[in-house]
Amino acid sequence: MRMIFRCDPALSDHLPRPVPARGSLPDWLRAMPAQAHSEIHGREIRTVKQCPPFVDAMAYGVMILLPCDVAVSGGSFAWDWNVPEPATPGHPRAPLSFHVPAQLADTPFAKAGQAAIKFNSFWTIELEPGWSLFATHPVNRDELPFRTVSGLVDADRFHDGGINFPALWTQPGFSGVLPKGTPVAQVFAVPRTAPELVFETFDDAHRTAYATTVAEVLATPGVYRKRFRARRGRSTA
């Protein structure tokens, strides 16, 4: 699988490149202890830092990054991003634009009078035939003061225009700076062919395997990581 990212030549030296999500795990995860005391259990238990599915979801795919610092105060957004005029007609120059409140009407996340921000795209993304691009909020990153809206784009066909990333601002009292390089969307290549759904009941072998697996997971730390977790290849730029 190849993901091809292209940008305007006048901006190529000014844009942070999309990066494998594994390389942009948050500081809070790195600093988190591997164990914590549980009053309920009366002992030390493993934290989500030792949960491979939790971490692997955060490390999967590619992260799209904010191209410059954005200052936020009182619901206003400002930036000082001195970049050349793009060489491509119709190409954005601002890191943000907006969706008006009417575009969110009747959605469960609509708030009266609140527009959605839109992280403008400075990279086009091309996938191989039969693959689509699933874009969503950076996984398990609820500390970010926005919530990126999920979307699916057939990027094997639509790859000559930028894919923008709308988001809801979730911390109205936030005042500060979103720094350059903040992850704004996590993207994955997904096959467009729908899976065949097959439903079965356990036979004797499956019942035995289920009971054995569950007993091992409960009794021995690290069973999933050591026996079942697949080794993931490194992406190349």
Side-chain angles (χ1 to χ4, degrees):
M1 165 54 59
R2 300 176 71 214
M3 300 177 73
I4 303 174
F5 296 87
R6 299 184 180 92
C7 71
D8 185 282
L11 302 178
S12 62
D13 294 334
H14 302 270
L15 299 175
R17 292 184 173 186
V19 296
R22 182 171 298 277
S24 61
L25 294 174
D27 291 340
W28 61 258
L29 181 63
R30 301 181 192 279
M32 186 178 187
Q35 292 187 327
H37 184 76
S38 167
E39 295 292 343
I40 294 176
H41 294 84
R43 58 180 172 84
E44 298 293 301
I45 62 169
R46 289 169 289 167
T47 67
V48 293
K49 187 172 185 174
Q50 291 199 61
C51 177
F54 181 89
V55 177
D56 286 346
M58 298 177 70
Y60 187 67
V62 175
M63 208 69 81
I64 307 298
L65 308 177
L66 188 67
C68 67
D69 289 353
V70 174
V72 185
S73 179
S76 297
F77 299 82
W79 51 87
D80 184 9
W81 192 30
N82 186 22
V83 293
E85 183 73 28
T88 307
H91 196 286
R93 193 173 182 179
L96 296 180
S97 53
F98 300 88
H99 285 293
V100 298
Q103 292 178 280
L104 308 176
D106 299 325
T107 64
F109 42 77
K111 294 183 180 179
Q114 181 178 331
I117 61 174
K118 181 165 62 177
F119 294 108
N120 287 332
S121 173
F122 293 90
W123 296 92
T124 62
I125 306 173
E126 181 177 356
L127 299 181
E128 295 178 1
W131 291 77
S132 297
L133 189 81
F134 179 65
T136 193
H137 185 77
V139 174
N140 295 331
R141 297 295 301 273
D142 284 3
E143 83 280 9
L144 296 171
F146 57 85
R147 171 66 62 171
T148 305
V149 178
S150 300
L152 187 71
V153 177
D154 295 335
D156 57 341
R157 301 180 179 187
F158 182 89
H159 49 70
D160 292 326
I163 300 171
N164 298 319
F165 305 101
L168 288 304
W169 195 258
T170 57
Q171 296 183 21
F174 179 93
S175 180
V177 174
L178 282 183
K180 176 181 178 179
T182 296
V184 298
Q186 194 165 347
V187 298
F188 318 94
V190 295
R192 198 156 53 245
T193 302
E196 178 186 359
L197 305 183
V198 179
F199 301 92
E200 300 177 342
T201 58
F202 292 169
D203 57 18
D204 289 343
H206 284 107
R207 281 198 300 272
T208 300
Y210 183 99
T212 300
T213 300
V214 170
E216 290 178 348
V217 168
L218 293 176
T220 309
V223 168
Y224 173 82
R225 177 177 56 82
K226 295 174 183 177
R227 289 183 49 196
F228 301 103
R229 191 185 196 187
R231 182 177 177 84
R232 283 162 173 76
R234 298 290 180 176
S235 298
T236 57

